[in-house]
Amino acid sequence: IKESGVLKVGYIPAAMPFSYWNRDSQLVGYDIAFAHKLAQDLQCRLEFIPFDYDELSDNLNFGVFDIAMSGLAVTEERLKTMCFTEPYLESEWVFISKDFQRHDFENIEELLKKKDFKLAVVGETSLESLARNLFPDAELVLLESYDEFLSLDDKLIDVMLGTREEGSISLRSLAKESGV
């Protein structure tokens, strides 16, 4: 980094509140701010490179970027191929439902006993493996992003598993835009 004068940071384009494009087409978010501070501390330029979760390890190993940021979860699988810094945040996972269904998913013990429900989760995230482990009898519906949740027909999913940070910010933003 010092030799090239450039810090290359890998990021997920739609990982609110960690990294996302705002209405002014600017890349912003917690991790984006941290990346700017790191580049300033290293006295180098900053280059952002988008990536997909399934390419993360290869991109790091082949030097496509120097560091990855975007609220990345530390998972057992990822620990086999990459190193992590100390986390600055421990996300809580939550169930996200449409307002009229919220009472159906308030009790985790009851939900763990259920066998006939459709559980949505953003695919290729640590929450996908968590959902598969905790709810092996649920029908898992993989979404591209939180954005899909509001547009899905109520018959396609019953509830979504997400993180408090990503879910609340993404869904609040989308609901405002769509008037929901």
Side-chain angles (χ1 to χ4, degrees):
I1 296 167
K2 282 291 194 185
E3 191 176 295
S4 70
V6 177
L7 171 64
K8 296 182 287 183
V9 176
Y11 74 98
I12 297 293
M16 275 190 185
F18 307 104
S19 57
Y20 61 98
W21 293 93
N22 68 13
R23 289 185 181 143
D24 297 327
S25 300
Q26 297 168 319
L27 185 60
V28 296
Y30 292 141
D31 286 344
I32 302 307
F34 289 137
H36 281 282
K37 177 67 174 134
L38 181 57
Q40 181 183 16
D41 290 348
L42 295 173
Q43 298 178 341
C44 63
R45 290 182 294 115
L46 184 58
E47 180 181 339
F48 288 104
I49 301 166
F51 72 89
D52 292 321
Y53 289 110
D54 58 345
E55 301 168 344
L56 176 58
S57 183
D58 287 342
N59 285 340
L60 285 167
N61 289 329
F62 294 117
V64 174
F65 42 79
D66 303 307
I67 187 171
M69 302 170 93
S70 286
L72 293 169
V74 179
T75 65
E76 188 176 329
E77 195 62 35
R78 287 180 182 156
L79 283 171
K80 294 175 185 175
T81 61
M82 59 191 86
C83 298
F84 286 83
T85 62
E86 283 293 315
Y88 66 86
L89 172 73
E90 289 190 28
S91 292
E92 295 179 48
W93 54 271
V94 295
F95 293 104
I96 303 163
S97 68
K98 303 277 174 99
D99 191 50
F100 71 91
Q101 292 175 303
R102 73 178 183 273
H103 297 298
D104 297 338
F105 303 101
E106 290 178 329
N107 185 320
I108 183 68
E109 288 80 21
E110 291 299 316
L111 193 56
L112 286 168
K113 293 176 193 173
K114 270 189 156 188
K115 297 199 183 289
D116 60 343
F117 69 102
K118 295 175 185 154
L119 177 63
V121 67
V122 176
E124 296 182 12
T125 66
S126 58
L127 290 175
E128 181 182 349
S129 59
L130 177 67
R132 289 186 193 286
N133 290 332
L134 284 177
F135 306 101
D137 296 324
E139 180 183 330
L140 206 57
V141 179
L142 301 179
L143 304 180
E144 292 286 323
S145 68
Y146 286 91
D147 302 6
E148 276 185 82
F149 177 74
L150 288 178
S151 63
L152 285 177
D153 184 308
D154 297 333
K155 293 176 182 74
L156 295 179
I157 62 166
D158 295 307
V159 67
M160 180 174 184
L161 179 65
T163 65
R164 180 177 309 278
E165 297 79 16
E166 290 180 303
S168 65
I169 290 174
S170 297
L171 294 173
R172 189 177 318 127
S173 170
L174 288 166
K176 235 185 227 182
E177 288 174 18
S178 63
V180 175

